[in-house]
Amino acid sequence: MSILSRYNSTLLEPIPHGTPERPLEEMCFPFSKESSCGGTFSLDQHWHPEIEILYIEEGEFSGEVNLDQGILHPGDFMFAGSQDLHALKGLCEKSLHEALIFHPKVLSFSYGDELQQTLISPLLSGSITFPHFFKPEDSGYEQIAPLLLEVFHIAKNQSENWYIDCKLLLIKILYLMNQNGILLPTKSLLSSNELQKIERYKLLTSYMDDHLSEPISLDELASLTATNPGYLCRFFKEISGISPIQYLINRRIEMAASLLRESNRSVLEIAMDCGFENVSYFIRKFKQKKGCTPGEYRK
């Protein structure tokens, strides 16, 4: 069983990071079986407009960025660019990792000088991107990793002028990554077909999350993405590991669980409001997912 570190009502993460003046945030995620009622750390697929850098301090993780997956050990970094679909799952009962999240415009200048034109603008436009995984055996690691860790440290402690120090270091890191050939053309990581699959997946999940209480059919979803139901099910499962209908059921159950915790409405009312037309079917699916009936869950 996995314990979710946070639950989002949609894959587009709604949590703001930093402030408008300082759109950068450092977060630390210690996890242990004892403090979290068992299981392992798990952060499901999501995306956001910010860039996210993860650093593994303890434990072993399975990381995913778009369709690329890898195993992460202490000392490894994972980069998720702006709007990249990404996830992180712990593979052991005790783990520790940090996250640095910042808006890509942090790196931008209003004046279109050489740095802006040759490095910053290509990153902002998405024509170049970070490697998904950055490990000790990779070229440039010994030079760049200490600077990345320094940014984490400064952002965490937030002494005077911390934001400016972080911004200057990030620009230096970006320059060094480019000099070492670490920044990559986006098309080298994703084919146009793979990119289209991911964009369709985002569209489908956003649509389902926005219409959880309404009847949704496979034909409706296929029409939304200009595909046929068979192809839709194949590429959706390729990305998420489950069918679109199972995804829809899972999200409806999470919605129902939230209503059970936060309201006194009857199980029948909640089932109807969450898109289940048959209360017996709702109870059966809820028990399969949560290990107990809705009534037991509320208690």
Side-chain angles (χ1 to χ4, degrees):
M1 182 181 70
S2 294
I3 303 298
L4 294 178
S5 62
R6 69 180 94 167
Y7 168 69
N8 301 314
S9 61
T10 173
L11 293 185
L12 172 56
E13 187 177 65
I15 303 170
H17 298 289
T19 66
E21 295 78 19
R22 296 172 175 175
L24 183 150
E25 182 179 10
E26 186 275 346
M27 295 183 289
C28 188
F29 297 90
F31 186 96
S32 66
K33 179 181 178 181
E34 293 76 17
S35 64
S36 303
C37 303
T40 59
F41 176 89
S42 180
L43 182 60
D44 286 343
Q45 287 178 327
H46 67 289
W47 61 278
H48 40 65
E50 295 90 354
I51 293 169
E52 182 168 0
I53 306 174
L54 296 171
Y55 176 66
I56 309 304
E57 293 191 39
E58 183 179 353
E60 187 178 59
F61 292 83
S62 171
E64 177 187 340
V65 183
N66 291 331
L67 301 178
D68 193 10
Q69 296 182 335
I71 302 300
L72 299 163
H73 301 94
D76 292 346
F77 293 89
M78 184 175 95
F79 290 84
S82 175
Q83 303 193 46
D84 280 349
L85 191 66
H86 57 287
L88 188 70
K89 297 184 184 300
L91 300 177
C92 49
E93 296 174 349
K94 187 176 181 181
S95 62
L96 175 64
H97 73 280
E98 290 185 76
L100 185 75
I101 304 179
F102 59 93
H103 199 283
K105 289 184 178 179
V106 163
L107 306 170
S108 185
F109 296 92
S110 61
Y111 185 73
D113 61 5
E114 180 184 359
L115 179 63
Q116 181 72 22
Q117 292 184 31
T118 61
L119 190 55
I120 306 298
S121 290
L123 183 70
L124 295 180
S125 68
S127 60
I128 63 170
T129 189
F130 296 98
H132 294 157
F133 308 108
F134 189 44
K135 303 190 174 191
E137 61 268 24
D138 292 334
S139 173
Y141 181 94
E142 291 185 4
Q143 182 182 20
I144 294 168
L147 298 179
L148 285 168
L149 293 178
E150 188 176 352
V151 178
F152 276 91
H153 177 76
I154 294 171
K156 183 176 183 177
N157 291 283
Q158 296 193 5
S159 57
E160 187 177 4
N161 298 321
W162 69 271
Y163 174 75
I164 295 174
D165 290 339
C166 286
K167 181 168 181 170
L168 292 173
L169 273 173
L170 285 171
I171 292 171
K172 182 176 182 180
I173 289 167
L174 190 65
Y175 169 76
L176 290 173
M177 294 183 89
N178 191 52
Q179 290 294 102
N180 282 273
I182 297 169
L183 295 179
L184 302 169
T186 303
K187 62 183 181 181
S188 70
L189 296 176
L190 280 176
S191 67
S192 58
N193 182 50
E194 290 170 331
L195 183 60
Q196 185 181 57
K197 286 181 181 179
I198 291 171
E199 292 306 312
R200 282 174 168 165
Y201 178 75
K202 290 180 181 178
L203 175 63
L204 288 169
T205 54
S206 295
Y207 181 83
M208 286 189 278
D209 288 332
D210 288 341
H211 299 82
L212 286 177
S213 61
E214 304 168 21
I216 299 176
S217 68
L218 270 179
D219 286 338
E220 182 181 353
L221 296 176
S223 176
L224 187 68
T225 55
T227 60
N228 62 66
Y231 177 77
L232 182 148
C233 289
R234 286 196 298 274
F235 87 74
F236 194 99
K237 190 169 185 179
E238 178 185 343
I239 295 176
S240 68
I242 57 176
S243 71
I245 297 303
Q246 187 59 55
Y247 174 91
L248 182 60
I249 291 171
N250 290 347
R251 300 304 272 186
R252 284 173 168 168
I253 288 173
E254 292 301 334
M255 179 182 175
S258 178
L259 291 173
L260 287 166
R261 292 193 303 268
E262 299 169 6
S263 76
N264 294 319
R265 295 156 73 183
S266 70
V267 171
L268 175 60
E269 288 177 315
I270 289 174
M272 297 296 109
D273 288 344
C274 293
F276 291 96
E277 297 179 358
N278 184 303
V279 70
S280 298
Y281 178 78
F282 164 65
I283 293 172
R284 184 168 72 252
K285 289 298 182 180
F286 191 97
K287 188 172 183 179
Q288 288 176 0
K289 181 71 175 175
K290 295 294 185 181
C292 61
T293 67
E296 293 168 342
Y297 182 87
R298 170 171 274 168
K299 291 177 182 179

